[in-house]
Amino acid sequence: MIIEAKEVSMCYRMTYDRVQSLKEYLVQMVKGKIKYREFWALKDVSFQVRKGEVLGIVGHNGAGKSTLLKVISGILKPTGGEVAVNGTVVPMLELGSGFDFDLTGRENIFLNGAILGYSEEFLKEKYDEIVAFSELGQFIDVPLRNYSSGMVMRLAFSVATVVNPDILIVDEILAVGDADFQAKSKARMLELMGGGTTVLFVSHSLDQIREMCDRVLWLDHGQVKMLGETKTVCDGYEKG
Amino acid sequence: MKQKSLKKGCAIFLALYLVLAAVFFWIGGDQFSFQDMRTDMLTGAGVLEEITAGVTVRQQIPLQGDELTGLTLYGATYGRQNTGALVLELYDGDRLLGSRTVDVSTLADNATFDVAFGGVDISGLSRAELQITAPEAAPGNAVTLYFGNAYSASRNQVSANLKEDELVRVNGTALDGGLCLQVHTRQPLWFGQFYWWLAGAGFVLLAGYCLLLLRKNRAGKHSALLNVLVAFSRYKYLMKQLVARDFKTKYKRSVLGVLWSFLNPLLTMSVQYIVFSTLFRSDIPNFALYLLTGIVCFNFFSEAASMSLTSIVGNASLITKVYVPKYIYPLTRVMSSTVNFLLALIPLLAVMLITRTPFRPSLFLLPLGVLCLFTLALGMGLLLASAMVFFRDTQFLWGVVNMLWMYATPIFYPESIIPAQFLPLYKCNPLYHIIRFIRIVLMDGVSPEPKAYALMLIASLVPLVIGTLVFKKTQDRFVLNI
């Protein structure tokens, strides 16, 4: 088992107004106004993922899909239960969130790569591939602030998808840039997901889920509604 | 981790320890074995009469420690070249402790002169009587000595409140004051005497720990140190990239670029040097170096802490999306400040050259001071970074605290202006001990006394431990609050 989640629960304590300054906090405390509302984003979620499996996760907005992914990648610590992950996890970041716009494309490739957890040797080896895929050519030594937004997206996508991880987390299939690059990036994603790595795949497109996944987990209000074969779960989800 | 590389690492580490222990002893020298003490000298108010044959000057001098090494006296020659000798004798009751003669032809007018006693055993004595005579001197060919009854403290005079038996007596008549003299004594320190035992015990402990580590590793068990090493090698590249990013973006789009790392402390020093050496007179020897050392150290601390303050909140977009141990963010900020600090050391060394401060082996102790400064800054940074997540007021509060901290640290003023009753509070400032250490190493060219090491280590490790504990306890809740 490469991922094993046991009764994972995640509870957010929400104040009605988020208190962010000491003065406010004291005033509220004196008034006795600090009330918390508990919100269980995940409740007793258990499942296992085998190596090489593609697990789809479906559910409505706010069902806890993103929270579950964050717990698995170690960003959030669950309130209850535990997750055992045996391998390196590479998240598909929101593209470009690790970029520094004062640095050149070249410098950003190494910076963003390091944040994603790639090693120096790996990045040096794949550098040419990344540049070639992004089609930036001579612009690679220009600071990012001079890029068009499409160019930034292309670079971000190229860095994010050179990975060779044990576990890949995909929150929607990304297709960026002009029509040509969109086709190319979609092909790259599908290639990655079909390449034998373990994939956790969140999508609202049931067609993609049906096409890619071995099994599907249906989350509803933080709880597992159904877990099983792609066809069964997808049919159930469409009806419900 | 591989057993072979671990073995190699342990061997290198132990060898390094031995070399360092020896180098440390060599640099520490006398400072480790003896504590030198000097009493304060009274400010000269007037001179005695001419010390000629038949005149006997007597004065009780206070003693502390086990050995008298010398005296400093303040003499006057009436502006002429005299011949003959002054005889200084030290008595405990009727017992002669030691005596020295001073050739008066070597004395300058209105100047202090040292008399080396070369180790007179004074253990158990709290005072002795100094008797000064000049058996061969005749009027017109004799010198005299200054006396006074007040100490100077910066620009004020503080009355010495001398008791009846502490006054100087000439032929038995007491004058209104005591001789201007400084008593040099020394006391052996247990640290120096047992240094090699301590170093040996440290070696045995370290070797034992290495063996334990090797055994654990062979059995495949985890241990705290190994975990740290593994994490370090895993995130080394990320840290390198983040430090490089900070460094590159800091001076990007500025014309002088990295030169600002040199220029900034130099310009601050110039301004403060002009202000404090003309507007407010200060009598600190080598004021330029004193000032620059303070500025460079404080700037490093303040920059590192302020940058760490925003390290978690500022990287919110990353922290909520990718898992990286959170301490990496404040740590790399402190590291990039360290790079700046190391660059700022270059103008510092230049000022040392210009002011002709000798380069002594004690310079090798500088890395230790820098390491402690780093540790303190990291501890403070961790504390501030976690406080900032929960209360955004921290950034404004820190601005004020930072300023207060600057004035509470002897950067541009001597520590002697702090009133004695506030000194214990004043010395609670961890920066004080570290800056003092660095100044002794750079300016005096000797190793500080063992107590200074202990205080400096405490001053840097306690904040680190507190910062780490707070950070560790709160880090799981960061994501929910940024």
Side-chain angles (χ1 to χ4, degrees), chain B residues 284-286 289-290 293 357-358 438-445:
Chain B
I284 304 170
N286 201 351
L289 186 57
Y290 183 91
T293 319
T357 315
I438 293 179
R439 275 186 182 144
I440 293 177
V441 163
L442 286 181
M443 297 174 65
D444 301 347

Side-chain angles (χ1 to χ4, degrees), chain A residues 159-202:
Chain A
V159 179
T161 53
V162 294
V163 286
N164 194 11
D166 297 333
I167 301 161
L168 183 67
I169 290 181
V170 182
D171 200 341
E172 295 293 340
I173 285 198
L174 301 158
V176 295
D178 53 25
D180 281 352
F181 198 82
Q182 273 188 22
K184 191 171 148 187
S185 54
K186 191 170 174 188
R188 177 67 166 264
M189 292 286 287
L190 297 179
E191 183 196 336
L192 261 178
M193 291 166 66
T197 45
T198 314
V199 182
L200 293 181
F201 178 36
V202 168

Side-chain angles (χ1 to χ4, degrees), chain B residues 215-265:
Chain B
R215 271 185 63 179
K216 262 193 174 174
N217 193 49
R218 198 166 43 200
K221 281 187 208 151
H222 288 283
S223 55
L225 185 75
L226 281 183
N227 282 347
V228 169
L229 286 178
V230 168
F232 188 78
S233 62
R234 182 161 171 201
Y235 291 106
K236 195 174 62 187
Y237 183 56
L238 174 60
M239 290 196 271
K240 203 169 103 188
Q241 282 295 324
L242 287 173
V243 170
R245 190 260 302 254
D246 282 343
F247 194 72
K248 278 181 203 153
T249 49
K250 181 163 186 177
Y251 297 119
K252 209 130 201 180
R253 309 175 86 170
S254 72
V255 180
L256 292 178
V258 70
L259 270 181
W260 279 113
S261 279
F262 307 108
L263 277 180
N264 240 334

